[in-house]
Amino acid sequence: MAKVISIANNKGGVAKTTTAVNLACGLKRLGCRALLVDMDPQSSATVYLGLDPLALERSSYEVLMGRCPAREAVLRLDAVDLLPASITLSAGELELSARIGRETVLRRALAPLLDDYDAIVIDNSPSLGVLTVNSLMASDAVVAPSEPSFLALKGLEILFSVISQVRELYPALQMLGVLITQMDPRTTHHREAAEAIRERYPVFDTVIRRSVRYADACLASQPVMDFAPGSPQAQAYMDFSREVAARAGIQTRLS
């Protein structure tokens, strides 16, 4: 049965989508059956993987609204299986807010897929609204990417507060840790902020350093391990994927 992992942070620009895409693809490279779910109305993961959200007939919006089973909306891509998002998802927050049991719509929608995969990775929008709460309620664990800045610390404080509230309804939700991203160890600010994050929160051993390769990989619609195999950037996300698998209890078939 799949472990479901949400990539979440209410602060934008912290490499959530880069992390979600490369984690899902990294887990696939480790021999896992992996699915990436795009729950961002901006369709960031969908665009990252080279798809046009405006051309989709089925997306996470149709799945949430009960118009289509999740399995029928999944696309089998070379990089990873994807449940894409489209611009219509922006209406989902308003429509879900009027539903009874709105917090568990995604959990019920993904339930038929749990036996199809070892890992399901959800990419979320930079907010903590109904869509993200749905993702958290559908997940076994959370990963919080965060740049090493003191402004980012406030975002983490808010995120951890929301996770605590979700746990009151869904105690099984686990915080796997904070992934420090866009790290530039040459700057005092980054070094001090990273240390402050480590003092306050559980943090992954892997650190994602700032590099133009991640943006270039996105422009090429490829995970970084395909775009620049053997590079330090590809190795970093493979190391992170192994850490996530170990912490979440995901069985991998390859080293």
Side-chain angles (χ1 to χ4, degrees):
M1 181 174 288
K3 293 287 187 178
V4 185
I5 301 169
S6 272
I7 310 300
N9 194 324
N10 57 301
K11 188 179 186 304
V14 296
K16 280 191 304 297
T17 297
T18 296
T19 296
V21 170
N22 284 285
L23 173 59
C25 294
L27 289 170
K28 182 179 177 181
R29 280 182 167 243
L30 293 173
C32 298
R33 298 169 299 162
L35 172 67
L36 176 62
V37 176
D38 193 345
M39 281 291 288
D40 184 353
Q42 298 178 71
S43 309
S44 299
T46 302
V47 172
Y48 187 117
L49 291 172
L51 300 176
D52 179 2
L54 299 177
L56 296 171
E57 294 183 2
R58 300 182 181 91
S59 70
S60 53
Y61 171 75
E62 281 74 28
V63 172
L64 285 172
M65 295 301 109
R67 298 173 188 171
C68 144
R71 190 174 283 113
E72 292 183 9
V74 171
L75 302 175
R76 314 288 179 178
L77 306 180
D78 289 341
V80 72
D81 288 3
L82 172 70
L83 176 53
S86 69
I87 189 78
T88 52
L89 188 57
S90 59
E93 192 126 20
L94 181 61
E95 294 181 48
L96 283 177
S97 65
R99 282 198 186 186
I100 296 174
R102 58 186 176 271
E103 296 90 354
T104 59
V105 172
L106 183 61
R107 186 199 298 182
R108 297 194 299 271
L110 292 181
L113 298 179
L114 294 180
D115 288 332
D116 296 349
Y117 294 97
D118 301 305
I120 297 175
V121 179
I122 305 176
D123 185 34
N124 291 289
S125 65
S127 75
L128 294 172
V130 172
L131 292 177
T132 300
V133 170
N134 252 265
S135 294
L136 295 175
M137 290 290 291
S139 297
D140 299 294
V142 187
V143 170
S146 179
E147 63 182 350
S149 72
F150 288 103
L151 284 176
L153 278 167
K154 187 62 177 178
L156 288 173
E157 180 181 329
I158 295 170
L159 173 63
F160 273 74
S161 174
V162 169
I163 290 172
S164 293
Q165 294 175 52
V166 170
R167 277 179 172 157
E168 293 177 7
L169 300 173
Y170 183 42
L173 183 64
Q174 176 188 8
M175 167 50 77
L176 288 188
V178 176
L179 174 68
I180 296 176
T181 61
Q182 305 186 66
M183 176 73 179
D184 185 347
R186 298 171 299 180
T187 69
T188 300
H189 184 172
H190 275 204
R191 292 196 305 271
E192 291 180 348
E195 186 57 33
I197 291 171
R198 291 188 182 98
E199 288 175 355
R200 300 184 192 186
Y201 302 107
V203 176
F204 286 95
D205 294 334
T206 304
V207 173
I208 306 300
R209 295 196 177 199
R210 180 172 291 168
S211 171
V212 70
R213 271 210 174 110
Y214 297 119
D216 290 343
C218 179
L219 287 173
S221 301
Q222 293 181 312
V224 70
M225 54 277 295
D226 288 345
F227 178 77
S231 67
Q233 292 76 27
Q235 187 60 53
Y237 268 112
M238 287 306 302
D239 289 343
F240 171 63
S241 298
R242 291 185 184 93
E243 276 198 85
V244 168
R247 294 192 186 195
I250 300 170
Q251 184 175 1
T252 58
R253 297 171 180 83
L254 302 172
S255 60

